[in-house]
Amino acid sequence: MTTPSPEHYPQQAKQALSDPILKKALKGLQDRLGSGALAAYRNLPEGEGLRHLAHEIRKAHVRNIDVLLATLGRNIRSHGGNVFFARDAAAATDYVLNLARERGVRGVVKGKSMTSEEIGINAALEKDGISVTETDLGEFIIQLAGEHPSHIIAPAIHKTREDIGRLFEKTIGIPYTDDPPALTLAARKYLRTRFLEADMGITGCNLACAQTGQIALVSNEGNIRLSTTLPRIHVAIMGMERICATLDEQLLLLRLLCRGASAQKMGGYVSFIAGPRKDGFRDGPEEFHLIVLDNDRSRILADPVFREVLCCIRCGGCLNVCPVYARIGGHTYGYAYSGPIGAVITPLLTGIERSKHLYCGETLCGACKDICPVGIDLPRMLLALRNIHAEGSRRWNIRPNHLLESLAYGIWAQLMTRPKLYNAAIRLGHELSPLIQRLHLPGWTPQRAIPSLAKRRFTQSPMSQTSTGENRHGS
């Protein structure tokens, strides 16, 4: 499994904030894709209502996820494919490793997949002596640099063309150039050999369709089509929530995914894969394996507060409008998922307390909800995570972070609903003010002074009664 490091968020954020190249690159990305996605939504033939419909469709998918996954598994097998339901990252990784050993795999080519990043499949295969080559251009660049993606669809956005020129000169041995077409051609030539030599192709899955038993993959470079057809084995890894009921719903969501991700009506290549090559087919793999990953998603599914996050189709649109992401980039979040979606899903997958900086660091401006193609209310869930961090949760095994503060607010809530007790508490508080003001309350008094309590409530003062009378008279 990729080692998460969300606890390093404050230090990583400080480092990112002092990087002007990163901020310039992210601003360019947001200017281009953020506003472009909103324009693409406005130009939908069905209008904005399509996104509301998509939200309801995704909620229904999540509610019926067990039935849909069972149907998907039956239909994939009926096409000659294999399906493995992996409880966690270790189970998914073991399945791929055992398959590679049994089939004598020596080389793997990969299409961009955040789920494979989540389980750390590259490191596991390389440890077993199997070469792994990322074939998405951005992923290829960061693999050569020994880094992880900093954006869901633009993984190397933090690199300048000069960085890439020096990197290619050092790693694949071409003369230095910072000309983007020349660099792209060099990568293409290098990767073409890897495609032809690979025994196994590994991809993610944008969305799977239970009705037809097929997965859909979207790309703009054609590398995924080569990864799924040239090697003799194709392994696709999907999070269990990436499931649709029908082909019509799958197509509707793919249209919204492309608009949210890159302001396109549709990606350059859309592949529908339902199993291995059949007799008479000229290309395609001899074996097809679909790994459906749980990895604590069932725990999220069981919680009605956070279940909605499983509606996400991983377009990355929320990263393209988030003011926090625009300043600190993706590496700061310390896990495969960054930006607002990462600030919600990462704590739920890796630990709410451990990842507290992620959800406490967001602004709650609501831009992520506005841009989301399926209308997920991420700000609501960010607040819910903060509430759990403060108040604790038995479901998530979190103790109250500030027990005394939590107790004080509980007493306050009781008093506010009982006027006689409230008045008595105010009078008592006034008498005890000199003692209360000397209290040391961590997190409060080092920055604030406790004010003296008034003897009477404001509504009991002559000023309040005069004001009330004037208001009544004026009205």
Side-chain angles (χ1 to χ4, degrees):
M1 179 189 302
T2 299
T3 304
S5 56
E7 60 271 35
H8 298 151
Y9 181 98
Q11 297 87 349
Q12 295 286 354
K14 284 181 183 175
Q15 188 174 339
L17 286 169
S18 62
D19 185 344
I21 295 175
L22 175 68
K23 282 190 279 190
K24 182 181 178 183
L26 294 175
K27 184 178 185 307
L29 179 83
Q30 292 201 335
D31 288 347
R32 191 170 65 255
L33 297 186
S35 56
L38 291 173
Y41 295 149
R42 286 194 294 272
N43 293 329
L44 279 166
E46 300 90 341
E48 285 286 313
L50 193 67
R51 294 166 68 195
H52 301 306
L53 174 62
H55 183 72
E56 295 305 316
I57 287 173
R58 285 300 288 156
K59 284 168 59 180
H61 292 162
V62 172
R63 279 198 306 273
N64 300 293
I65 199 167
D66 53 344
V67 176
L68 295 178
L69 288 175
T71 305
L72 174 70
R74 281 197 304 274
N75 287 332
I76 290 277
R77 291 184 181 108
S78 73
H79 297 313
N82 301 278
V83 181
F84 176 67
F85 292 92
R87 182 174 57 85
D88 53 25
T93 303
D94 286 346
Y95 183 89
V96 178
L97 284 175
N98 290 332
L99 181 66
R101 290 167 186 156
E102 290 170 6
R103 304 296 192 273
V105 170
R106 304 310 308 160
V108 170
V109 287
K110 281 189 66 213
K112 184 157 64 61
S113 161
M114 300 309 294
T115 311
S116 71
E117 188 73 23
E118 176 185 332
I119 66 174
I121 193 66
N122 288 18
L125 287 166
E126 287 168 350
K127 189 177 179 182
D128 221 40
I130 298 171
S131 71
V132 180
T133 306
E134 295 283 355
T135 61
D136 173 89
L137 181 57
E139 293 277 352
F140 177 61
I141 291 167
I142 60 168
Q143 184 186 31
L144 292 179
E147 299 176 4
H148 293 286
S150 63
H151 189 282
I152 290 177
I153 64 160
I157 188 64
H158 57 289
K159 295 284 187 194
T160 65
R161 61 184 184 177
E162 291 81 8
D163 290 337
I164 298 166
R166 287 189 289 271
L167 182 67
F168 279 17
E169 181 185 28
K170 179 181 177 183
T171 54
I172 64 175
I174 65 166
Y176 173 81
T177 175
D178 58 8
D179 178 51
L183 291 168
T184 303
L185 284 175
R188 182 180 182 182
K189 183 178 178 182
Y190 181 90
L191 290 173
R192 193 54 59 100
T193 305
R194 299 300 180 279
F195 280 123
L196 294 172
E197 295 174 347
D199 304 297
M200 177 184 284
I202 296 179
T203 69
C205 162
N206 288 108
L207 289 164
C209 176
Q211 179 189 41
T212 57
Q214 64 188 24
I215 65 168
L217 292 159
V218 182
S219 78
N220 281 318
E221 300 173 13
N223 62 303
I224 284 182
R225 190 158 293 176
L226 291 174
S227 298
T228 58
T229 52
L230 291 181
R232 53 191 168 89
I233 304 167
H234 174 204
V235 177
I237 307 171
M238 62 175 270
M240 60 182 267
E241 76 280 14
R242 309 292 284 278
I243 180 77
C244 300
T246 68
L247 183 60
D248 286 342
E249 292 172 353
Q250 188 185 34
L251 295 176
L252 181 154
L253 291 167
L254 288 175
R255 289 173 59 206
L256 290 173
L257 183 149
C258 293
R259 283 168 168 80
S262 53
Q264 292 175 288
K265 289 183 179 178
M266 188 55 72
Y269 297 82
V270 182
S271 302
F272 293 91
I273 298 168
R277 180 179 64 209
K278 293 190 169 48
D279 292 341
F281 280 27
R282 298 183 63 181
D283 57 20
E286 298 168 9
E287 295 183 45
F288 173 71
H289 298 258
L290 177 64
I291 298 174
V292 182
L293 179 68
D294 185 327
N295 209 26
D296 262 357
R297 288 165 172 79
S298 291
R299 193 179 186 192
I300 300 173
L301 181 66
D303 189 334
V305 175
F306 296 111
R307 190 176 297 153
E308 185 185 0
V309 79
L310 296 178
C311 296
C312 177
I313 54 177
R314 298 289 190 279
C315 67
C318 56
L319 281 65
N320 299 335
V321 294
C322 176
V324 177
Y325 178 86
R327 285 155 182 79
I328 62 176
H331 289 157
T332 300
Y333 293 79
Y335 198 49
Y337 309 109
S338 57
I341 183 62
V344 173
I345 196 79
T346 299
L348 298 174
L349 294 177
T350 66
I352 291 176
E353 196 62 29
R354 180 183 185 184
S355 304
K356 61 185 177 184
H357 299 301
L358 275 62
Y359 51 81
C360 290
E362 295 295 311
T363 63
L364 302 176
C365 66
C368 50
K369 183 182 178 186
D370 293 340
I371 197 83
C372 179
V374 294
I376 298 173
D377 195 348
L378 289 174
R380 177 187 65 77
M381 287 182 275
L382 289 168
L383 279 173
L385 285 167
R386 292 183 188 184
N387 180 260
I388 288 177
H389 172 62
E391 305 291 338
S393 165
R394 288 186 180 179
R395 181 189 294 273
W396 293 94
N397 196 28
I398 303 292
R399 290 185 175 183
N401 197 46
H402 300 292
L403 189 59
L404 185 59
E405 183 179 316
S406 179
L407 180 64
Y409 275 115
I411 294 172
W412 176 263
Q414 294 297 318
L415 291 175
M416 289 295 287
T417 57
R418 294 170 174 79
K420 289 184 179 177
L421 278 177
Y422 180 82
N423 290 333
I426 289 292
R427 287 194 295 273
L428 180 62
H430 174 75
E431 298 300 328
L432 297 177
S433 275
L435 292 175
I436 293 172
Q437 288 178 299
R438 287 203 290 270
L439 287 175
H440 175 70
L441 302 175
W444 283 90
T445 52
Q447 293 85 26
R448 308 174 182 87
I450 300 178
S452 175
L453 285 177
K455 191 173 184 177
R456 290 181 298 187
R457 296 165 55 188
F458 175 74
T459 53
Q460 294 171 332
S461 70
M463 184 185 299
S464 169
Q465 291 169 7
T466 301
S467 172
T468 305
E470 288 175 351
N471 288 338
R472 188 184 300 121
H473 183 71
S475 65

